Amino acid sequence: MSDELIKLAEGMAPAPRDRARILGHFCAHEGCAKHAGFGFARPRQQSTWFCFDHKADGEQYL
Ligand SMILES: [Zn+2]
């Protein structure tokens, strides 16, 4: 993961990937930025995380 700086417009919320550094993981479902408690990983690949609502996506991902 890179440490590139992300510039934000004034008043904008931090990007999910920035908040993820503090809270752990966020859902990988497109458009969903919930905290993800369910991790899925294929061998030799980075794990992907989904929230409770989208954990079925992760089961398809495997
Ligand atoms: Zn989700």
Side-chain angles (χ1 to χ4, degrees):
M1 193 180 286
S2 73
D3 273 323
E4 72 202 282
L5 289 172
I6 300 168
K7 290 183 183 172
L8 297 172
E10 210 168 271
M12 233 180 114
R17 54 178 285 193
D18 248 20
R19 286 188 289 151
R21 290 179 192 165
I22 301 162
L23 294 175
H25 298 279
F26 281 88
C27 183
H29 187 87
E30 199 173 322
C32 179
K34 286 184 186 174
H35 180 71
F38 301 88
F40 298 86
R42 287 185 286 198
R44 296 170 179 239
Q45 293 198 17
Q46 207 174 6
S47 57
T48 301
W49 292 75
F50 293 91
C51 70
F52 180 80
D53 290 342
H54 296 124
K55 70 183 171 83
D57 286 14
E59 279 154 17
Q60 285 172 18
Y61 170 84
L62 291 177

